Amino acid sequence: MREHAHDGHTPDNPIIEKEVGDIIRDAGGHPNLVTYMDSFVEQQTLYLVMEYCANGDMYDYLSKRRQRTMSCRNALSVLSQVSAGLAFMHQHSIAHRDVSLENIFLHHGRCKLGDFGLATRVRRCSGQQVGKKYYMAPEVVAGEVYDPKAADVWSLGIVFFIMVTGSPLVSFASMSVKSFRALKQAGIATVMEAWGVAQYMPTSALELMSGMLEIDPIKRLTIDQVLQHDAFNTCLS
């Protein structure tokens, strides 16, 4: 089911999206980020002109596949590209806060992270729940003060999980949800084994997923650590 980031939470802000687009463009842009082109106001409404991505988004791409999944190798290829774009944002002190399949756009074989309407300058964020519920990090769900960069990595880990399993990991990363309690107790590797997916994934890929979906944000991989992970060398070389 396609999710919307504003389901009871903060809606996208086109002014923020324009500001972030300006920052990214002024920094030289990145091939794995959707480019902000221009904006105009008509009848008191701000319109943004963004780069056209001819092949839709990753959610639609997976939805059209028979099992709604892709091979671990292909998922890692997507992950490496989106991680590069996200790392560029983090390097320029911007957290995305809405990383999801719906916001990964496809253009002639290249993956681009887009939709910056919930982005924020990197700082500790208040306990406001931002993003789509399937992708929200546990600390965001809990209403804690959190590091939005670490929350981005969790969300990207969920993207990785969905690409190889065809399903969200949990409905909500809350201790009130039984599947999340099981995840916290057993760990992601055990979950993947129970789902019958672990046998199709190299150990390094499972380790990468585990590091991205570490419940403690302090222990979670940073986006730079994700990019440097051995899984990409092992599986994509």
Side-chain angles (χ1 to χ4, degrees):
M1 178 179 177
R2 182 179 287 273
E3 277 204 280
H4 300 284
H6 50 77
D7 289 345
H9 304 293
T10 306
D12 284 5
N13 186 328
I15 296 175
I16 291 176
E17 182 148 17
K18 179 183 182 302
E19 291 175 352
V20 171
D22 281 332
I23 292 169
I24 293 171
R25 186 176 61 182
D26 292 347
H30 192 278
N32 298 115
L33 294 175
V34 174
T35 302
Y36 161 71
M37 310 293 288
D38 199 0
S39 64
F40 61 93
V41 176
E42 186 174 288
Q43 295 182 344
Q44 298 184 320
T45 299
L46 175 63
Y47 293 89
L48 305 181
V49 181
M50 307 297 290
E51 174 186 9
Y52 174 65
C53 293
N55 305 114
D57 63 47
M58 184 58 66
Y59 179 92
D60 285 339
Y61 174 81
L62 286 177
S63 296
K64 293 172 184 175
R65 296 177 67 85
R66 179 175 297 179
Q67 295 182 322
R68 299 195 173 195
T69 63
M70 60 175 62
S71 69
C72 182
R73 179 184 175 86
N74 288 343
L76 283 168
S77 177
V78 173
L79 183 64
S80 67
Q81 294 179 63
V82 179
S83 294
L86 186 60
F88 186 86
M89 293 184 70
H90 287 187
Q91 288 160 10
H92 289 85
S93 300
I94 303 167
H96 189 283
R97 296 204 299 175
D98 194 19
V99 177
S100 63
L101 292 171
E102 293 89 337
N103 290 336
I104 298 172
F105 299 91
L106 310 176
H107 187 66
H108 300 313
R110 177 169 285 169
C111 300
K112 295 172 175 278
L113 182 62
D115 193 350
F116 310 121
L118 292 179
T120 186
R121 290 285 193 171
V122 170
R123 59 183 182 275
R124 305 291 290 183
C125 289
S126 64
Q128 185 180 39
Q129 290 186 345
V130 174
K132 302 177 179 70
K133 65 177 184 177
Y134 290 152
Y135 299 88
M136 280 186 195
E139 63 271 19
V140 179
V141 172
E144 301 171 0
V145 174
Y146 67 93
D147 176 357
K149 292 191 296 182
D152 277 350
V153 173
W154 172 278
S155 299
L156 188 54
I158 295 295
V159 166
F160 185 20
F161 182 90
I162 295 175
M163 287 191 294
V164 296
T165 67
S167 177
L169 176 58
V170 292
S171 60
F172 209 44
S174 166
M175 288 300 290
S176 65
V177 177
K178 183 178 180 180
S179 57
F180 180 74
R181 294 197 301 270
L183 168 67
K184 187 172 183 179
Q185 181 177 3
I188 190 65
T190 301
V191 171
M192 297 298 279
E193 289 176 9
W195 284 39
V197 180
Q199 60 183 314
Y200 302 110
M201 295 182 67
T203 300
S204 59
L206 280 172
E207 290 173 348
L208 172 58
M209 184 179 288
S210 296
M212 297 178 75
L213 295 176
E214 165 60 54
I215 290 173
D216 184 346
I218 295 175
K219 298 178 181 178
R220 196 174 300 151
L221 295 178
T222 66
I223 195 62
D224 288 334
Q225 289 172 327
V226 170
L227 277 173
Q228 295 163 10
H229 201 278
D230 186 56
F232 298 115
N233 293 328
T234 302
C235 303
L236 298 181
S237 59

